[in-house]
Amino acid sequence: DGGITQSPKYLFRKEGQNVTLSCEQNLNHDAMYWYRQDPGQGLRLIYYSQIVNDFQKGDIAEGYSVSREKKESFPLTVTSAQKNPTAFYLCASSITGTGYNEQFFGPGTRLTVL
Amino acid sequence: AQSVTQLDSHVSVSEGTPVLLRCNYSSSYSPSLFWYVQHPNKGLQLLLKYTSAATLVKGINGFEAEFKKSETSFHLTKPSAHMSDAAEYFCVVSFKRGGSYIPTFGRGTSLIVHP
C-alpha cells in the first residue's frame, strides 16, 4: 500500500526539549511539505522540499529545522526556540512541485508541550 | 498580494439540503485550485482540483466546484448534504513563489450537518 506515514500519532514533551517528528512516503514523490495546524488558522507551511538534499523555508519556519537526505524521508525537528510548539503537524507529498499535482497527506502528529 | 479566502468559518445545513462553501482568491494569473476535506484528527483528502480544463469540476462524494475567473472564485457545492459530510473543508491555491508553485491554504470552513 502506497502512502505517507507519520509517527508518533501523539507526542508529549517537556518545555525546552527538542523533538523530531517522522514523515516517510513510499509514493516516489519528489516534493514533501510540513504544515502546522492550529484551530481556525488552516494549515501554515513550515518547510518544503522539492528534491533530495534541498529544502526551503515556508511561512513559519522559525524554531523548526528539517533535513532531506533521502527521497522517502523528511523529518521535522521542533526546537526549544519554537515559542508555542503545541499543535497538530501534518506532512504531505506531491509528485512534483509544479503546482498542478495534488498533495497526499499523512495522518498527522499531535504534539503537546507540557 | 496572492491570497485565498474562505468566506465562512462555519456553515450549518440540514441533512438533505444543498451545501455551498465559498472560496475566493487573489492572483494575477489563473492558478491551480483544490478543495480538501479533513475529518476530525485525520489527515486531508483531496475532493477535487481545477487545472485549467473544464470550469465545472466534479469530485468525490457528489461534490463539485465551479471556477469563475471573472469573480476569482472557486465555490464548492453539493446538492444534498449527508451526515457523513460533516468535516473541515479547505480551499487551496498554488501560487508561484520564486521558481516553485506552493500550495496556500484557506483558513477552513467547518461544515455542520443537522439531522
Side-chain angles (χ1 to χ4, degrees):
Chain A
D1 258 347
I4 301 179
T5 56
Q6 291 185 245
S7 60
K9 187 172 182 178
Y10 298 97
L11 189 55
F12 297 89
R13 279 295 180 270
K14 291 183 179 178
E15 198 171 329
Q17 288 182 332
N18 291 358
V19 60
T20 297
L21 281 58
S22 168
C23 177
E24 304 277 333
Q25 55 100 357
N26 61 3
L27 300 166
N28 200 32
H29 286 175
D30 285 322
M32 296 187 75
Y33 312 80
W34 272 107
Y35 293 91
R36 171 182 171 136
Q37 185 175 22
D38 297 283
Q41 296 201 51
L43 275 68
R44 293 182 290 167
L45 183 65
I46 305 172
Y47 269 97
Y48 63 98
S49 169
Q50 305 283 26
I51 197 168
V52 175
N53 292 322
D54 189 42
F55 50 83
Q56 283 77 42
K57 292 181 179 180
D59 300 314
I60 56 164
E62 185 175 349
Y64 300 97
S65 66
V66 294
S67 63
R68 187 86 187 276
E69 297 175 1
K70 298 187 298 182
K71 189 175 186 177
E72 311 81 51
S73 179
F74 191 42
L76 173 75
T77 297
V78 184
T79 75
S80 56
Q82 168 50 233
K83 295 189 189 329
N84 184 19
T86 294
F88 190 51
Y89 291 87
L90 285 159
C91 179
S93 71
S94 62
I95 295 175
T96 67
T98 61
Y100 296 103
N101 304 120
E102 65 264 35
Q103 293 173 296
F104 292 78
F105 285 84
T109 292
R110 186 165 297 280
L111 172 64
T112 302
V113 175
L114 306 171
Chain B
Q2 297 173 327
S3 64
V4 53
T5 303
Q6 291 184 243
L7 295 156
D8 306 292
S9 59
H10 296 85
V11 169
S12 183
V13 301
S14 297
E15 191 174 20
T17 63
V19 175
L20 170 64
L21 306 182
R22 298 181 294 166
C23 175
N24 284 92
Y25 68 93
S26 173
S27 176
S28 58
Y29 56 91
S30 293
S32 295
L33 302 124
F34 307 80
W35 277 98
Y36 289 84
V37 61
Q38 183 183 32
H39 288 93
N41 296 309
K42 301 287 187 187
L44 279 70
Q45 179 186 18
L46 179 72
L47 277 177
L48 49 81
K49 68 177 181 180
Y50 168 79
T51 54
S52 76
T55 56
L56 183 62
V57 182
K58 293 190 184 300
I60 62 171
N61 300 334
F63 284 95
E64 60 183 38
E66 186 173 8
F67 172 67
K68 292 188 176 180
K69 185 176 180 179
S70 59
E71 299 176 10
T72 58
S73 69
F74 191 55
H75 301 335
L76 182 71
T77 61
K78 183 173 180 177
S80 176
H82 190 273
M83 294 297 291
S84 61
D85 294 327
E88 191 83 13
Y89 291 80
F90 293 97
C91 180
V92 181
V93 182
S94 284
F95 293 121
K96 193 168 185 180
R97 291 194 201 178
S100 303
Y101 285 87
I102 304 302
T104 299
F105 282 72
R107 293 195 168 207
T109 298
S110 179
L111 177 63
I112 301 159
V113 183
H114 298 286

